[in-house]
Structures are given as C-alpha cells and as structure tokens.
Amino acid sequence: GDAPVPLLTPRERFHLHALSLLIQNNHRCAMGAYLRLLELYPGDLLGLSLALDVAYSLGDGEAARVAATNVSTYWSERDGGTLRLHPSQSGQTLASSLVAIGLSSSSALSRAATAETLIEMALARDPDGAGGTS
C-alpha cells in the first residue's frame, strides 16, 4: 500500500523544534537548532531571520556572524558568485539584507565594510523589501 505522507517536512519540523525551545526559554539551544537548520537548509530566510533575532537576544554576535556566513555562500551561488541583488532572484534583497545584519555583528572591519555595502545595495534596489536594515 501507499505509505502515509508526513504532515510536516523535515525543515518545518526543525522550525517547530526551535520554537519549542524558545517557548521553554532555552534560547541557547534554540540558537543551536537554528544554526543546524541553516546548515541543512541555507536558503531558509525565515530561519536566518529567527537565528539573528535569537543571537541578538543572547548578545551572541559570533552566532549571528556564523548564521550569516553559512547562508551567504548559498545566496551568492544563486546570484552569479556575489551578492549583487539580482531582481530576478526571489528573496535576494532580503537575503542580502539579513546577511549584512549578521556580518555587521562582527567587530572585523572587513566584514563591517561588506555589511555596509550589502545594506546600501539592498536599499538602493528595493527600499521596501530590504528587511528594515536602515
């Protein structure tokens, strides 16, 4: 016979797991769950956004940087090798904005300069879709 179809995808189950950890006020473990989610599903912009929120609530700039760095390669590969904000790439503006936010959490000057460039490009391309980075 036909096997039953699961109600949730593995990615959706990861989101629910991280949410349950947040509800239990276990933000550190939720951060780990979001980082793992982004390793497996680097295109998940909701996961990136939530990972950045949790990292900032923990005051963990390194976790924010790791989250942004992990997904930047995925989005860069879909945009011809750089995060140039192709209007044809769905989610590209938001992805670049979120990556910039994560990179800006680092004290490294080169990362901060990259973050600033990404934010400027995102706002120039789509001021309404840049994810509130201004």
Side-chain angles (χ1 to χ4, degrees):
D2 293 334
V5 177
L7 295 175
L8 299 172
T9 66
R11 185 175 62 90
E12 291 167 333
R13 285 194 292 276
F14 256 101
H15 274 284
L16 287 178
H17 173 67
L19 179 61
S20 73
L21 291 168
L22 288 172
I23 290 170
Q24 296 169 36
N25 203 27
N26 193 345
H27 289 67
R28 181 62 55 197
C29 286
M31 185 75 250
Y34 281 121
L35 290 175
R36 180 67 178 138
L37 171 94
L38 293 171
E39 286 176 15
L40 297 171
Y41 307 99
D44 190 326
L45 292 178
L46 175 61
L48 177 57
S49 180
L50 293 171
L52 293 175
D53 287 345
V54 173
Y56 287 121
S57 74
L58 291 169
D60 191 344
E62 179 62 16
R65 185 200 60 77
V66 168
T69 303
N70 285 348
V71 303
S72 65
T73 301
Y74 172 90
W75 287 99
S76 174
E77 288 171 354
R78 273 131 199 87
D79 198 25
T82 61
L83 287 166
R84 290 174 298 174
L85 303 175
H86 254 266
S88 62
Q89 296 291 329
S90 177
Q92 189 68 43
T93 300
L94 181 58
S96 295
S97 299
L98 291 172
V99 167
I101 290 168
L103 291 177
S104 70
S105 66
S106 172
S107 61
L109 222 48
S110 62
R111 287 192 186 108
T114 301
E116 186 175 338
T117 300
L118 287 172
I119 289 171
E120 289 171 358
M121 290 169 50
L123 289 171
R125 167 49 81 208
D126 184 6
D128 295 325
T133 55
S134 62

